[in-house]
């Protein structure tokens, strides 16, 4: 596998990482939650943690997919050699997590249904790769169409 120190520029590798996040998104949907998944990987390809949005299932507004994957990975002294892989452009909350802990790379399945803080992260040196994955776009797009109120709650849009 070909990896850079800050993230992954190899499209095949990024798509392989994305499959883990997509699997998590499908699990979340099957549980009755919002279908967003994430994985935290080292730039050498080692999977450190994975998770999915569990806001609905756990009645916890802070349990986004990226935070679940981050928590699953456990403590590390340095995250600069890590890549956060997520099915959707991260919201400001999750973008803050990437920035706060110095995660070096971000692979995004899609930014069509929602474009969060990834441009800001790029301005601060995070290696960003947006894949425009059709499966990610369809999975969340169908969910938003079926559950707009729940989606607006998830991204913090008031009634």
């Amino acid at each position: 596998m070909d990896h850079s120190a800050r993230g992954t520029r190899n499209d095949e590798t990024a798509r392989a990482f994305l499959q883990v996040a997509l699997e998590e998104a499908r699990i979340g949907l099957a549980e009755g939650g919002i279908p967003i998944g994430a994985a935290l990987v080292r730039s050498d390809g080692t999977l450190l943690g994975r998770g999915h949005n569990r806001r609905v299932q756990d009645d916890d507004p802070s349990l986004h997919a990226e935070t679940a994957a981050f928590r699953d990975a456990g403590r590390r002294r340095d995250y600069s050699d890590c890549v956060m892989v997520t099915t959707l452009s991260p919201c400001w909350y999750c973008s803050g997590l990437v920035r706060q802990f110095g995660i070096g790379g971000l692979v995004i399945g899609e930014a069509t249904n929602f474009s969060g803080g990834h441009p800001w992260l790029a301005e601060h040196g995070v290696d960003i790769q947006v894949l425009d994955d059709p499966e990610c776009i369809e999975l969340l797009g169908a969910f938003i169409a079926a559950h707009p109120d729940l989606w607006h709650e998830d991204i913090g849009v008031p009634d």
Side-chain angles (χ1 to χ4, degrees):
M1 288 186 183
D2 176 34
H3 306 276
S4 72
R6 298 285 294 169
T8 179
R9 284 281 125 207
N10 180 303
D11 195 55
E12 183 179 318
T13 301
R15 289 190 184 281
F17 293 157
L18 183 61
Q19 290 309 305
V20 175
L22 264 166
E23 183 179 313
E24 287 292 327
R26 288 186 212 105
I27 291 168
L29 182 62
E31 293 172 348
I34 299 165
I36 302 170
L40 186 66
V41 298
R42 271 199 336 233
S43 58
D44 70 1
T46 303
L47 178 64
L48 299 173
R50 58 190 295 161
H52 53 275
N53 186 305
R54 296 194 50 85
R55 295 180 78 251
V56 173
Q57 300 91 312
D58 292 358
D59 196 30
D60 180 349
S62 70
L63 202 42
H64 289 203
E66 297 86 346
T67 57
F70 185 74
R71 290 173 181 172
D72 187 52
R75 291 176 51 202
R76 295 179 55 85
R77 177 74 178 108
D78 181 12
Y79 294 89
S80 63
D81 71 334
C82 293
V83 179
M84 180 65 77
V85 182
T86 181
T87 57
L88 182 67
S89 175
C91 68
W92 283 108
Y93 170 64
C94 296
S95 294
L97 179 137
V98 170
R99 177 87 167 105
Q100 172 71 30
F101 291 96
I103 294 171
L106 179 64
V107 171
I108 299 167
E110 67 112 337
T112 301
N113 285 300
F114 177 79
S115 186
H118 72 270
W120 174 76
L121 288 170
E123 290 173 11
H124 291 284
V126 177
D127 181 37
I128 306 294
Q129 190 171 0
V130 180
L131 299 176
D132 294 320
D133 182 81
E135 187 175 355
C136 289
I137 294 168
E138 172 59 28
L139 183 64
L140 188 59
F143 179 84
I144 292 170
H147 307 282
D149 290 344
L150 187 54
W151 171 246
H152 288 140
E153 175 189 328
D154 189 66
I155 60 171
V157 174
D159 293 333

